[in-house]
């Protein structure tokens, strides 16, 4: 596996986390359809790129002792699971005017269990001429890490604001997400079977690479738009300033 793939996987998790936090900040300061838009962007960024994209970036660099193929339908289903559970967690945790702890805890539990489900669903997409087994204790630890990481991530989406704070929180979130993945991988044991034919190399890895690459490019574009687009408070300030300037100009014309 080396060190290059884990670093790239961490950067993918960081990028998705950063856009997710930025989008969550926008969602907190908006309402209506615009709020729903930013929540959707946050769910896709954190769940689709930060979690799922990191997972399969790491998987593409993992050698299991023989050729590996992936069931594309199951793989894409695991991506949908990640996005949906993060979206549900955001809706629960970012309830307006609710500072109680239980929405955060409930959102973290739902999202964490969903993220763990995404991981092991994605692992079930592996097609390999080997027997795969899991250590129960390590699996339980990976699920616990997922719940704690998800709760921390949702707390960040609820509280974090400002570029530097988003940067620091994204570094922490990416560390938690990759930590859960590699803990889950540590739970897996692979026993290569010599009695079955080798799995031929196919295009699934290329397809997933293109999906992750395309998602990353889209995230960068949306990230730039998010940085340059004012939130609701910013628009109100701009409109108020425009009104003041118009009144000042009208008074100057009448005098």
């Amino acid at each position: 596996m080396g060190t290059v793939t884990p670093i790239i996987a961490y950067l993918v998790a960081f990028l998705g986390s950063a856009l997710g936090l930025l989008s969550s900040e926008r969602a907190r300061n908006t309402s209506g359809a615009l709020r729903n838009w930013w929540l959707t962007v946050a769910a896709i960024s954190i769940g689709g790129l930060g979690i799922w994209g990191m997972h399969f970036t790491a998987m593409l660099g993992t050698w299991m002792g023989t050729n590996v193929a992936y069931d594309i339908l199951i793989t894409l289903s695991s991506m949908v699971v990640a996005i949906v559970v993060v979206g549900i967690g955001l809706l629960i945790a970012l309830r307006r005017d609710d500072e109680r702890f239980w929405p955060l805890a409930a959102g973290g539990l739902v999202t964490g269990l969903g993220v763990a489900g995404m991981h092991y669903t994605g692992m079930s997409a592996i097609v390999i001429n080997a027997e795969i087994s899991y250590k129960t204790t390590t699996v339980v630890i990976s699920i616990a890490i997922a719940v704690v990481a998800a709760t921390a991530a949702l707390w960040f989406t609820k509280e974090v604001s400002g570029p530097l704070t988003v940067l620091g929180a994204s570094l922490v979130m990416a560390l938690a997400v990759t930590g859960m993945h590699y803990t889950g991988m540590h739970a897996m044991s692979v026993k290569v079977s010599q009695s079955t034919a080798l799995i031929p190399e196919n295009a699934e890895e290329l397809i997933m690479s293109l999906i992750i690459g395309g998602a990353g490019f889209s995230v960068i574009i949306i990230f730039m738009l998010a940085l340059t687009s004012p939130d609701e408070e910013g628009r109100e300030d701009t409109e108020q300033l425009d009104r003041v300037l118009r009144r000042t100009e009208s008074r100057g014309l009448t005098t």
Side-chain angles (χ1 to χ4, degrees):
M1 182 169 58
T3 58
V4 175
T5 301
I7 291 173
I8 296 175
Y10 177 84
L11 291 176
V12 170
F14 168 77
L15 184 61
S17 298
L19 178 59
L21 290 177
L22 186 62
S23 302
S24 298
E25 182 182 357
R26 287 288 189 268
R28 295 198 306 266
N29 295 326
T30 55
S31 58
L34 193 57
R35 171 182 167 83
N36 293 333
W37 156 253
W38 284 119
L39 285 175
T40 301
V41 172
I44 294 173
S45 301
I46 297 174
L49 184 63
I51 296 174
W52 183 88
M54 178 283 307
H55 171 84
F56 276 100
T57 298
M59 288 301 301
L60 292 176
T62 302
W63 174 246
M64 299 185 185
T66 184
N67 291 343
V68 173
Y70 292 91
D71 185 303
I72 290 295
L73 182 59
I74 297 177
T75 299
L76 294 180
S77 297
S78 69
M79 178 177 64
V80 173
V81 169
I83 293 173
V84 169
V85 296
V86 170
I88 293 173
L90 288 170
L91 288 174
I92 296 174
L94 297 183
R95 290 161 55 96
R96 289 190 178 278
D97 302 323
D98 194 339
E99 299 300 325
R100 293 175 295 176
F101 178 74
W102 79 260
L104 178 63
L109 179 62
V110 170
T111 304
L113 292 177
V115 168
M118 178 281 303
H119 175 86
Y120 291 106
T121 299
M123 298 303 294
S124 70
I126 294 175
V127 180
I128 186 174
N129 63 321
E131 296 179 5
I132 297 179
S133 59
Y134 292 92
K135 300 174 184 175
T136 304
T137 302
T138 311
V139 169
V140 172
I141 292 174
S142 71
I143 294 173
I145 292 175
V147 172
V148 173
T151 305
L154 291 177
W155 182 86
F156 284 136
T157 63
K158 190 178 180 67
E159 301 293 338
V160 165
S161 61
L164 292 179
T165 310
V166 167
L167 175 64
S170 299
L171 293 171
V172 175
M173 282 178 62
L175 183 62
V177 169
T178 52
M180 181 273 156
H181 170 80
Y182 286 109
T183 301
M185 290 298 294
H186 183 66
M188 183 179 69
S189 297
V190 179
K191 183 179 180 181
V192 178
S193 174
Q194 303 298 332
S195 61
T196 55
L198 288 175
I199 301 298
E201 294 185 2
N202 46 39
E204 278 86 348
E205 292 190 3
L206 175 61
I207 293 172
M208 287 190 291
S209 298
L210 291 175
I211 292 173
I212 295 170
F217 179 76
S218 301
V219 160
I220 292 173
I221 298 300
I222 299 175
F223 189 78
M224 298 305 297
L225 292 174
L227 286 176
T228 56
S229 64
D231 56 18
E232 193 169 88
E233 292 179 355
R235 287 194 299 273
E236 290 177 355
D237 292 340
T238 302
E239 292 173 357
Q240 184 177 1
L241 179 60
D242 289 340
R243 288 194 295 269
V244 171
L245 291 175
R246 285 196 297 270
R247 285 199 297 268
T248 302
E249 290 174 356
S250 62
R251 289 172 183 172
L253 291 175
T254 54
T255 57

